Amino acid sequence: MFRPVANGLRTDYPVPGLPFINDERLPLDNPDAIERTGRDQGEGLWGRTDPLPGDGWVAFTTEPKNRAYAWAVHYHPDHGRTVLLVSDESWSGLHHDWLYGHNGFLYRHGGYWWDGTAWHRPSVVFDGAFERYDARPVQDALSITAADLLLHPADPGKAQVATIAGFTAPTTALPNWLDHLALWAEHRRRAPDARPLEKCVVDLSAPELQPGQLVDRAGLAKIVNIAEDDLPDLRYASDKLPEPQAHGASGPLWSQAVARDWAEEHHRAHGPGVLLSATTSYGTPQPQGLVADHNRLTKVIHADGEQSEEAAKGLAWWPAVALTVGPHSLFPMSALRTTLIDAVISHLAQDEEKGRSGIWRSPLRPDVVEIFDWYIQRKPDSTAGILSEICLTAQTRLDLPPETVGSIIRRSLRLQSKLGEDTVDALLDMALPPSAKSTES
């Protein structure tokens, strides 16, 4: 997640705690001119502008007078403009979020986002059926505006507007930021077309963000139901954890709602491997299918009586592995995956051609379900990926809602899978994309 370092003086949405920078040199009504400020103007300078889907635009430029930083501007005819100063190396991430992230344009508290009408939790749960993160509204969210904050006493005389030349980003929040906000508001009074203060959203308040409701690393592990030591190490893999909502004496703190979302995503990725595991004759956990293949080959080798059972185990292990593991496995697992997806899509297309809908849709053929069982028992960690691709392909090619596809898969596996209904339900509850989870589950 990008981190802004300052607010432009003409922004409509100030970030709490950050200084205000004089942005009068930026032609805020002309995105092409913003781009030209930096683009091809010299080594280390760059600029870019793009139209937003629907309406509005975004523009970026390296600041020529202080090349460590870049200006980022988001404009929407209904929601006004955001003007931020960011580090020059981070503007591309913000550009991606504003254009393609489907996560609004205003970010607070570690990724909580606002789209102009509602607040949503950080982008943590990925919906493979639409190839984007699931938008999850914040319960009882309240927007805090500049007008709300300026009801409290503030002294603009104790603040100042910074200039970009020689600017260095502060390492901590400004202690008297309310005074700076009051000075920002004074400057706006000189602009008759400025967005009203009661429409300038500054922050978010919600029960789940109250300090007493946040959890530390141990609390996150408890919600995910794994050992704390099994969480990604913050020193080497902090990007594999959700962005924290705050920091305390013991380290990062997360809202419980974000922790639950991350638990859902974690279990989607890793849960099938745990659910569809078995113990080898050596006492180690492995995918069910690999264990079954090893046991079967052990019996074949031991059957002639020339090998002890222990020797047969050893002779059977690497052939069992070679069947399905690795890029040169004896079974072409990648090709089998593609064929399985095509078989499911073909079945769904036939139902569409016959005009079947609702309860009249037919379940998948038993041989397709048998191959599905065989595949995921040997590649359980691929379960979420294959289900997502099926839902995405059905949605793009056949215009079938993911929930419909998920319901057909669930009904088919319940009827014909050798895994059993309880395992099928547990597996699909974890591995289906959020939009494909049927109300039957």
Side-chain angles (χ1 to χ4, degrees), residues 127-130 132 344-345 348-349 351-352 356-358 361 387-410 432-440:
D127 192 332
F130 292 100
R132 66 189 185 210
V344 175
I345 297 300
L348 297 174
D351 266 7
E352 286 295 289
R356 292 173 177 166
S357 61
R361 293 186 184 275
L387 291 174
S388 290
E389 188 166 345
I390 289 170
C391 291
L392 172 64
T393 306
Q395 187 252 134
T396 54
R397 289 189 191 172
L398 307 175
D399 200 27
L400 275 176
E403 186 175 350
T404 297
V405 178
S407 179
I408 293 168
I409 291 173
R410 188 181 295 269
L432 278 172
S435 58
K437 291 186 178 179
S438 171
T439 53
E440 297 175 37

Side-chain angles (χ1 to χ4, degrees), residues 52-86:
L52 286 168
D55 207 353
W57 48 264
V58 295
F60 302 83
T61 180
T62 308
E63 171 49 63
K65 291 189 174 183
N66 195 337
R67 299 184 182 191
Y69 302 105
W71 290 104
V73 184
H74 181 289
Y75 172 76
H76 189 278
D78 296 328
H79 306 311
R81 63 191 171 206
T82 303
V83 186
L84 296 172
L85 192 71
V86 299

Side-chain angles (χ1 to χ4, degrees), residues 130-318:
F130 292 100
E131 294 189 307
R132 66 189 185 210
Y133 286 95
D134 200 29
R136 302 195 162 186
V138 181
Q139 187 173 5
D140 299 325
L142 291 175
S143 292
I144 300 173
T145 68
D148 295 329
L149 292 175
L150 291 173
L151 291 173
H152 302 281
D155 184 355
K158 295 180 179 179
Q160 62 181 2
V161 176
T163 56
I164 190 63
F167 174 78
T168 301
T171 56
T172 59
L174 298 179
N176 63 326
W177 189 75
L178 201 56
D179 298 331
H180 289 261
L181 185 69
L183 181 58
W184 164 83
E186 278 197 357
H187 280 271
R188 294 179 71 81
R189 292 191 185 98
R190 303 168 195 164
D193 60 344
R195 190 175 182 84
L197 295 181
E198 59 270 18
K199 291 187 177 181
C200 294
V201 174
V202 174
D203 207 349
L204 156 71
S205 174
E208 65 193 59
L209 287 170
Q210 296 303 308
Q213 297 300 311
L214 303 181
V215 296
D216 59 8
R217 188 175 169 86
L220 176 64
K222 184 176 181 181
I223 289 173
V224 184
N225 196 28
I226 61 176
E228 186 177 347
D229 288 344
D230 290 336
L231 287 174
D233 193 311
L234 287 171
R235 294 170 296 176
Y236 311 112
S238 60
D239 59 328
K240 294 184 179 179
L241 287 170
E243 189 173 359
Q245 279 59 71
H247 286 83
S250 61
L253 300 170
W254 295 271
S255 77
Q256 294 182 47
V258 169
R260 288 191 293 270
D261 285 347
W262 192 74
E264 179 182 334
E265 189 68 7
H266 179 85
H267 291 312
R268 177 174 294 108
H270 304 286
V274 175
L275 180 69
L276 300 180
S277 70
T279 303
T280 68
S281 53
Y282 297 118
T284 57
Q286 292 288 348
Q288 286 180 2
L290 176 56
V291 173
D293 294 339
H294 180 227
N295 292 344
R296 193 178 215 174
L297 287 172
T298 298
K299 288 181 180 179
V300 170
I301 294 171
H302 184 54
D304 62 10
E306 294 184 8
Q307 303 287 342
S308 67
E309 184 175 359
E310 198 61 32
K313 286 183 197 175
L315 290 171
W317 177 249
W318 288 114

